Amino acid sequence: MDKPRNIRNLILVPFLALTIAAAGCSANKTTATTAFPDDEYIKRFEPLGPIPIPADNSMTDEKIQLGKTLFFDPRLSGDNTLSCLSCHSPELGYSDNLTTFVGFQKVVGGRNSQTIINSGYYKTNFWDGRAKSLEEQALGPIQSPKEMNQELGELVRELRAVPAYVEKFRKVFGEEITADNIAKALAAFERTIIVNNSDFDRYLAGDRDALTPQAKRGMEIFVNKGNCISCHSGPNLSDSNYYNVGTDSEDSGRFAITGNEADRGKFRTPTLRGLNFTGPYTHNGSEVTLEDVVHMYNTGGKAHPNKDPRVRPLGLTKEEEMDLVAFLKSMSGKPPQVTAPVIP
């Protein structure tokens, strides 16, 4: 009897060894095939890089400080009660967290106050792209009757009556105060409001663990099933183009600038950086949370004859919606905070 048992053992031991080895190989193979392909997804995005600086508006510390002082100064409004800060608070992601802005003498505007985070990376400014530069954009709200309602000539006269401002402008620009130099100073300050320190930025820089597994699943949806990257592309996660995404609004959008019927209801793609701090969302603030935004796109948006064909039901599960939200939040970073200057 001993001999058959030994024979069986001799047969069984190698069989068990082969089985364990095969199981080990199978586990290794599973791990290899399910590991997230970081390199594949990283190459779909671009690092932010340095902000573009116009040749005629170089950045200096003195100019940035002057721009910050003007940004906080209520003299920029017609009744000296509003400043740029009123709609673009650092504590609120350089926005106001209102559905639509509240302007001169409490007039309620028709559009959401866009954050100035990374605004210097856009090719055009405002929701409808009517400003071709950040300098041009800086003077727009000042003159708007619904926003700050200040006549530029009057603003220049008010600032020239302040000796400290006269000295600051002469030091920075070598000349008297002008509307053009007010715009340049404001734009220089706004170009310092950059978010480039997010988990997503660290991930692009090579830290594969900067994104959670949920955020990575959301990134996969962003690139593939959701196709968000078709518009939210490039270093600033905006292609600087204009789209009708099917929001419930009668705003003519880009059409008011171009007169082209194909532009009706189109608005520029906003950046996704700093996103977690800047709700409500869309040009009319119709989506309160990021969860609302993702759900809107997942359901295909509202009906509009000019809606972009890419805005259609995506078929995301609730879990996939939350994964996508997690990825969007990974782009938020921490908006830079600034110390309030002394207004002369």
Side-chain angles (χ1 to χ4, degrees):
M1 296 296 294
D2 290 339
K3 186 174 181 180
R5 185 181 298 116
N6 289 339
I7 293 173
R8 284 198 300 272
N9 288 343
L10 289 172
I11 295 172
L12 183 59
V13 170
F15 175 77
L16 289 174
L18 287 171
T19 302
I20 293 170
C25 290
S26 176
N28 289 338
K29 183 177 180 181
T30 301
T31 301
T33 56
T34 58
F36 190 83
D38 294 290
D39 292 340
E40 176 184 334
Y41 282 93
I42 284 177
K43 69 184 181 182
R44 299 297 300 272
F45 299 93
E46 300 176 46
L48 189 60
I51 197 164
I53 306 296
D56 64 345
N57 193 19
S58 60
M59 302 275 279
T60 66
D61 290 342
E62 293 84 1
K63 187 185 294 183
I64 292 167
Q65 183 62 35
L66 174 58
K68 182 171 77 168
T69 303
L70 291 169
F71 190 88
F72 278 74
D73 195 336
R75 292 187 184 94
L76 271 64
S77 64
D79 59 1
N80 292 349
T81 62
L82 299 173
S83 67
C84 304
L85 186 73
S86 301
C87 289
H88 302 285
S89 170
E91 290 77 17
L92 302 176
Y94 292 90
S95 184
D96 55 17
N97 291 169
L98 299 175
T99 301
T100 57
F101 73 86
V102 176
F104 188 74
Q105 297 184 351
K106 307 301 181 183
V107 170
V108 178
R111 292 180 181 174
N112 179 261
S113 294
Q114 284 195 296
T115 178
I116 64 170
I117 291 172
N118 291 18
S119 57
Y121 287 91
Y122 288 126
K123 296 177 181 178
T124 59
N125 288 89
F126 293 117
W127 281 107
D128 53 22
R130 64 185 181 274
K132 296 179 181 179
S133 68
L134 202 54
E135 286 74 11
E136 183 179 344
Q137 182 277 332
L139 296 180
I142 295 173
Q143 300 174 86
S144 169
K146 290 185 177 181
E147 295 183 64
M148 301 174 79
N149 196 35
Q150 174 67 289
E151 197 272 322
L152 289 181
E154 176 60 26
L155 175 59
V156 169
R157 285 189 288 273
E158 284 189 43
L159 297 185
R160 285 182 178 179
V162 182
Y165 269 132
V166 173
E167 180 182 352
K168 289 176 185 293
F169 272 86
R170 190 170 297 280
K171 181 178 180 181
V172 171
F173 295 104
E175 60 184 21
E176 288 188 325
I177 300 170
T178 65
D180 183 56
N181 288 338
I182 291 171
K184 286 182 176 180
L186 284 168
F189 168 67
E190 291 177 5
R191 287 191 176 96
T192 68
I193 308 304
I194 297 173
V195 165
N196 59 3
N197 61 350
S198 68
D199 293 341
F200 176 69
D201 290 299
R202 289 190 289 276
Y203 178 75
L204 292 188
D207 182 355
R208 302 298 192 262
D209 297 323
L211 296 186
T212 66
Q214 184 183 27
K216 287 185 179 183
R217 293 195 302 270
M219 178 168 58
E220 187 173 13
I221 294 167
F222 185 93
V223 171
N224 296 318
K225 190 173 181 179
N227 196 29
C228 313
I229 200 170
S230 65
C231 299
H232 292 284
S233 58
N236 202 30
L237 297 166
S238 166
D239 61 2
S240 289
N241 287 328
Y242 306 87
Y243 303 95
N244 184 317
V245 297
T247 52
D248 187 14
S249 169
E250 296 181 358
D251 193 325
S252 63
R254 181 72 172 161
F255 170 80
I257 309 303
T258 67
N260 185 347
E261 193 62 37
D263 287 331
R264 187 172 293 279
K266 289 186 176 182
F267 299 90
R268 194 202 55 217
T269 308
T271 180
L272 300 179
R273 295 177 183 275
L275 198 64
N276 201 33
F277 302 92
T278 59
Y281 305 94
T282 71
H283 74 277
N284 62 352
S286 59
E287 307 303 322
V288 178
T289 67
L290 286 176
E291 288 80 2
D292 293 335
V293 174
V294 169
H295 187 69
M296 180 200 80
Y297 280 106
N298 189 27
T299 56
K302 302 289 195 304
H304 192 288
N306 201 32
K307 185 171 70 173
D308 192 281
R310 285 170 290 186
V311 183
R312 52 181 174 73
L314 300 174
L316 302 181
T317 66
K318 186 61 179 178
E319 183 180 3
E320 287 174 325
E321 284 192 9
M322 296 311 298
D323 290 345
L324 184 52
V325 168
F327 177 56
L328 295 176
K329 288 183 176 181
S330 79
M331 302 170 175
S332 287
K334 294 181 180 179
Q337 298 300 301
V338 295
T339 304
V342 176
I343 307 298

